[in-house]
């Protein structure tokens, strides 16, 4: 995959396709309660039943939800729930159930491939609906940063400057995405050149001095995640909890 294609994937952040938005809106027309809407979407087959039953998928309570609860005189529940906190968030996921599942699957594969670098398997997805999000704040976590460090140091030990991996001008994407593009290109080069993980980057013993070609490439599932348009944010790495971020859709067209 060339740099232009990588840049195009990075630019999909917060822009999923949402092919079923119109049908999701029609399915919940006249319903204002997010829980009732969520159940109706499942009953109509707009979302899989797994979206109702899966305890690993939770929704972050938002200020919008709290305000709505207070407005109707109900005490807001501030803990994560299996039900979207707002009608807008229910529609957001119902508009793209295949993409939602693909994002979760890619995230699981990513952290599985990062386990030799210190990550653990994903135990919970926390979905957050936003109006906007500063993509410069995105972090995939400590284990992923260890991969980036190992690629950079290993290449530099063999005369390759990490900063020369990208053409100039560099892709106009947020810095965390730019680093990941460089990591993807660097990993590919390290495999092609038969390089090993340098001990100078202080990696775990599970990867130290092993050829990159023998290790599972963590950038492949990361790019698969980028393709969905959802944004990953490492949250509680010790417990395997990650946050997936989606820009909320409007209730009306």
């Amino acid at each position: 995959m060339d740099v232009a294609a990588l840049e195009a994937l990075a630019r999909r952040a917060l822009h999923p396709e949402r092919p079923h938005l119109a049908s999701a809106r029609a399915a919940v027309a006249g319903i204002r309660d997010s829980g009732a809407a969520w159940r109706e979407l499942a009953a109509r087959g707009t979302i899989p039943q797994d979206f109702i039953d899966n305890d690993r998928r939770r929704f972050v309570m938002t200020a919008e939800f709290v305000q709505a609860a207070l407005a109707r005189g109900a005490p807001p529940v501030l803990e994560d729930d299996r039900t979207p906190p707002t009608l807008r968030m229910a529609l957001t996921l119902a508009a793209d159930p295949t993409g939602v599942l693909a994002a979760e699957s890619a995230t699981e594969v990513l952290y599985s491939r990062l386990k030799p670098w210190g990550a653990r398997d994903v135990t919970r997805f926390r979905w957050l609906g936003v109006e906007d999000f500063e993509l410069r704040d995105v972090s995939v976590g400590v284990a992923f940063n260890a991969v980036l460090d190992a690629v950079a140091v290993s290449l530099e030990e063999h005369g390759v400057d990490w900063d020369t991996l990208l053409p100039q001008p560099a892709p106009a994407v947020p810095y965390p995405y730019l680093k990941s593009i460089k990591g993807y290109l660097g990993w590919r080069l390290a495999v092609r050149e038969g390089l090993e993980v340098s001990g100078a980057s202080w990696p775990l013993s599970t990867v130290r001095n092993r050829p990159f070609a023998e290790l599972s490439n963590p950038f492949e599932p990361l790019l698969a995640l980028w393709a969905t348009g959802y944004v990953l944010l490492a949250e509680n790495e010790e417990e395997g909890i990650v946050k997936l971020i989606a820009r909320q859709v409007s209730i009306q067209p």
Side-chain angles (χ1 to χ4, degrees), residues 239-251:
E239 296 185 12
I241 299 173
V242 299
K243 187 176 286 181
L244 288 169
I245 300 170
R247 179 180 281 128
Q248 292 189 102
V249 302
S250 61
I251 296 175

Side-chain angles (χ1 to χ4, degrees), residues 49-60:
Q49 185 62 37
D50 169 78
F51 276 29
I52 301 291
D53 300 332
N54 191 341
D55 193 50
R56 295 177 65 218
R57 183 186 303 108
R58 295 297 183 96
F59 295 90
V60 180

Side-chain angles (χ1 to χ4, degrees), residues 13-244:
L14 297 177
H15 295 91
E17 293 186 355
R18 293 174 175 158
H20 304 295
L21 179 55
S23 59
R25 282 171 170 155
V28 299
I31 301 176
R32 289 293 174 262
D33 178 74
S34 62
W38 200 232
R39 292 187 293 273
E40 181 65 18
L41 288 163
R44 290 178 177 240
T46 309
I47 59 173
Q49 185 62 37
D50 169 78
F51 276 29
I52 301 291
D53 300 332
N54 191 341
D55 193 50
R56 295 177 65 218
R57 183 186 303 108
R58 295 297 183 96
F59 295 90
V60 180
M61 297 298 106
T62 63
E64 179 184 5
F65 169 75
V66 173
Q67 291 167 1
L70 293 174
R72 65 175 184 268
V77 178
L78 301 181
E79 297 180 354
D80 290 356
D81 197 358
R82 289 190 298 180
T83 301
T86 64
L87 179 58
R88 291 179 64 200
M89 192 57 184
L91 287 171
T92 297
L93 268 65
D96 184 29
T98 299
V100 167
L101 292 173
E104 292 179 344
S105 176
T107 301
E108 287 184 311
V109 174
L110 169 61
Y111 283 99
S112 175
R113 294 189 179 189
L114 288 173
K115 285 176 70 176
W117 301 86
R120 64 163 297 176
D121 288 327
V122 176
T123 61
R124 178 168 295 178
F125 300 99
R126 300 184 71 228
W127 280 90
L128 172 65
V130 298
E131 299 301 318
D132 206 353
F133 185 77
E134 288 290 347
L135 294 173
R136 65 171 179 262
D137 296 332
V138 168
S139 172
V140 182
V142 173
F144 186 72
N145 289 338
V147 172
L148 294 174
D149 289 343
V151 170
V153 171
S154 300
L155 288 175
E156 288 172 359
E157 285 184 346
H158 288 79
V160 179
D161 186 346
W162 170 256
D163 292 326
T164 65
L165 291 174
L166 289 174
Q168 296 300 321
V173 298
Y175 183 63
Y177 287 80
L178 193 66
K179 282 201 306 183
S180 295
I181 290 175
K182 290 169 69 174
Y184 168 85
L185 297 171
W187 183 286
R188 189 171 62 179
L189 179 58
V191 169
R192 188 164 62 243
E193 296 297 321
L195 303 186
E196 297 179 347
V197 177
S198 170
S201 64
W202 297 98
L204 296 178
S205 60
T206 47
V207 295
R208 186 184 303 122
N209 298 326
R210 290 183 60 187
F212 282 93
E214 291 183 359
L215 299 168
S216 297
N217 185 341
F219 296 96
E220 293 172 346
L222 179 65
L223 296 183
L225 172 65
W226 286 7
T228 68
Y230 299 106
V231 173
L232 169 65
L233 185 65
E235 192 166 52
N236 187 331
E237 296 180 71
E238 292 184 359
E239 296 185 12
I241 299 173
V242 299
K243 187 176 286 181
L244 288 169

